[in-house]
Amino acid sequence: MAITLVNPDGLPKIDVYRQVSVATGSKLVFIAGQVAWDAEGVTVGEGDLTAQVEQCYLNIGTALADVGGSFDDVAKLTAYVVDWTPDKMPALLEGISRASEKLGVTPVPPVTLLGVAALDIPDHLVEVEATAVID
């Protein structure tokens, strides 16, 4: 595996992700922001942040599988959430948990969460992009 995830001493231990990702592979993969579209371009989970987060993560897994990788190869994620407020955290974490279970991964790599005013279409509540390193 090209990615080692760690929580260094001296930094907060956060259960839902690791603070540091160490990449040792040879192929960098940059995945465009994934929204909650299925393979036919239909929005999954309209109005449901949890379902949309799950679909975004599953789409990243699909993209990685196509280039010979898996979610275990993800070094960094960035999530953009429409109208972010802290009360949305349980829904976000539930979506990550459901996707992680389906993808067979834990813990989640470092992630940056950004609140945004809007995404490409009004039905999309979240977009997640990824950087991966594959051996």
Side-chain angles (χ1 to χ4, degrees), residues 14 22 37 50 55 57 66 77 87 97 100 106-107 117 119 122 124:
I14 299 172
V22 180
W37 276 332
T50 298
Q55 186 63 42
Y57 275 61
D66 191 67
L77 296 164
D87 64 309
S97 177
S100 295
T106 184
L119 292 172
H124 291 158

Side-chain angles (χ1 to χ4, degrees), residues 14-89:
I14 299 172
D15 290 337
V16 296
Y17 70 94
R18 298 300 180 255
Q19 296 277 17
V20 176
S21 174
V22 180
T24 58
S26 58
K27 180 168 48 170
L28 285 175
V29 180
F30 300 93
I31 299 174
Q34 296 298 300
V35 293
W37 276 332
D38 65 13
E40 287 75 43
V42 175
T43 299
V44 172
E46 190 172 327
D48 182 346
L49 180 60
T50 298
Q52 289 199 16
V53 169
E54 179 181 9
Q55 186 63 42
C56 292
Y57 275 61
L58 295 175
N59 288 349
I60 290 169
T62 298
L64 285 165
D66 191 67
V67 296
S70 74
F71 213 92
D72 284 329
D73 299 310
V74 174
K76 174 77 170 61
L77 296 164
T78 303
Y80 305 89
V81 182
V82 174
D83 297 324
W84 173 256
T85 56
D87 64 309
K88 293 182 180 181
M89 185 61 82

